[in-house]
Amino acid sequence: MAAASRNLISHLRILLSSTVSETQFRTFSACSSQVEELRTRIIEGKPGIMTPNSKRTGAIAVKCGMTALWDKWGERVPITILWLDDNIVSQVKTPEKEGISALQIGCAHKKEKHLTKPEVGHFRAQGVPMKRKLKEFPVTEDALLPVGTSISVNHFVPGQYVDVAGITRGKGFQGGMKRWGFSGMPASHGASLSHRSIGSTGQRDAPGKVFKGRKMPGRMGGVQRTVKNVWVYKIDPARNLMWVKGQVPGAEGNFVFIKDSVYKKPDISTLPFPTYFAAENEDQADLEPLVADLGDTDPFMAAD
């Protein structure tokens, strides 16, 4: 009787374990299929509706230099010209695969022999041309674009504000007067070979050291800085050029990174979202330059 009971219990344990394992396998298979579907989801490049929480991608431009223009009211406008040299989406990062939502943008062409093997492998894996400069821009999920999508100057609208980041001009090793704007020491009596000296840098025996962060001579420039709230004055879709008001960091020929302004947010109803998609029969060479709306009131007459 005891042997029969033990056999019955063992059979029940085998049946329960097989049922549980089969249920776990089905659950694991279902989860795996869902994850695979998310990883292989297709991102379509089509116009969408921008919300107040949406965040578009930025673009990479080459600083061409500065000039000046006169607007229709006769006011002189200092201008920096930026060239968006063949910007395309070179990689898409999704929350399911990389854990973030971002787009990698590539700018300008570069020969394969001038790239490292890891860089060549990256471009070949994505199926995009070799690019000279790459930059990753965080975006919201509704602003994702497929690989190979072109980002033209029409991505921005004249009259909006943008933030422009770049590497400032390197000035080398400079003194305190040029680097920090110090007034210097007396220029005549009582100053012996210390006219441009920074003066005292600390106290006496207590604390007996120079505190960290003291403004002193050193290397100036060559660091990344962002100029915020830069006004877009004009765009030229035929040449992919953008005119912005004022100065931006960097020397002529340097790369700068442009994105929608954080503080002076543009009107979402005027922005192409997630980017500008050209019509099938549209020829970029035939598009006319677009200038920001300056209003109907003469600022010089309004001042009087």
Side-chain angles (χ1 to χ4, degrees), residues 92-130:
V92 181
K93 296 189 176 181
T94 58
E96 297 82 25
K97 189 175 181 181
E98 287 84 8
I100 60 173
S101 179
L103 292 176
Q104 185 189 82
I105 306 298
C107 174
H109 294 284
K110 197 170 186 180
K111 293 182 179 179
E112 181 179 338
K113 65 179 182 179
H114 295 152
L115 293 170
T116 62
K117 289 185 178 180
E119 292 173 337
V120 173
H122 171 71
F123 290 122
R124 287 180 177 174
Q126 299 297 327
V128 295
M130 309 293 169

Side-chain angles (χ1 to χ4, degrees), residues 161-175:
Y161 290 89
V162 295
D163 294 340
V164 183
I167 305 298
T168 59
R169 291 174 180 264
K171 304 290 185 180
F173 194 98
Q174 298 297 331

Side-chain angles (χ1 to χ4, degrees), residues 59-92:
I60 309 173
V62 179
K63 182 178 178 180
C64 299
M66 291 196 68
T67 183
L69 298 177
W70 280 260
D71 61 16
K72 67 177 184 178
W73 303 116
E75 182 180 2
R76 184 180 183 273
V77 183
I79 293 293
T80 300
I81 302 177
L82 305 175
W83 175 35
L84 276 69
D85 183 12
D86 193 19
N87 280 224
I88 64 169
V89 178
S90 57
Q91 186 182 7
V92 181

Side-chain angles (χ1 to χ4, degrees), residues 140-157:
T140 52
E141 287 196 48
D142 56 349
L144 290 174
L145 293 167
V147 173
T149 303
S150 176
I151 307 295
S152 65
V153 74
N154 286 316
H155 184 74
F156 302 99
V157 178

Side-chain angles (χ1 to χ4, degrees), residues 6-83:
R6 285 196 296 270
N7 291 335
L8 180 60
I9 292 172
S10 63
H11 283 301
L12 288 174
R13 285 179 178 175
I14 293 172
L15 289 173
L16 288 174
S17 62
S18 62
T19 306
V20 171
S21 61
E22 184 178 355
T23 305
Q24 291 177 348
F25 177 75
R26 289 177 180 175
T27 306
F28 178 76
S29 301
C31 294
S32 301
S33 61
Q34 291 177 0
V35 171
E36 191 65 26
E37 288 178 1
L38 289 174
R39 287 186 175 180
T40 58
R41 67 171 179 172
I42 299 175
I43 300 174
E44 298 181 359
K46 60 181 180 179
I49 299 176
M50 188 173 182
T51 64
N53 295 326
S54 298
K55 187 176 183 179
R56 305 192 308 159
T57 181
I60 309 173
V62 179
K63 182 178 178 180
C64 299
M66 291 196 68
T67 183
L69 298 177
W70 280 260
D71 61 16
K72 67 177 184 178
W73 303 116
E75 182 180 2
R76 184 180 183 273
V77 183
I79 293 293
T80 300
I81 302 177
L82 305 175
W83 175 35

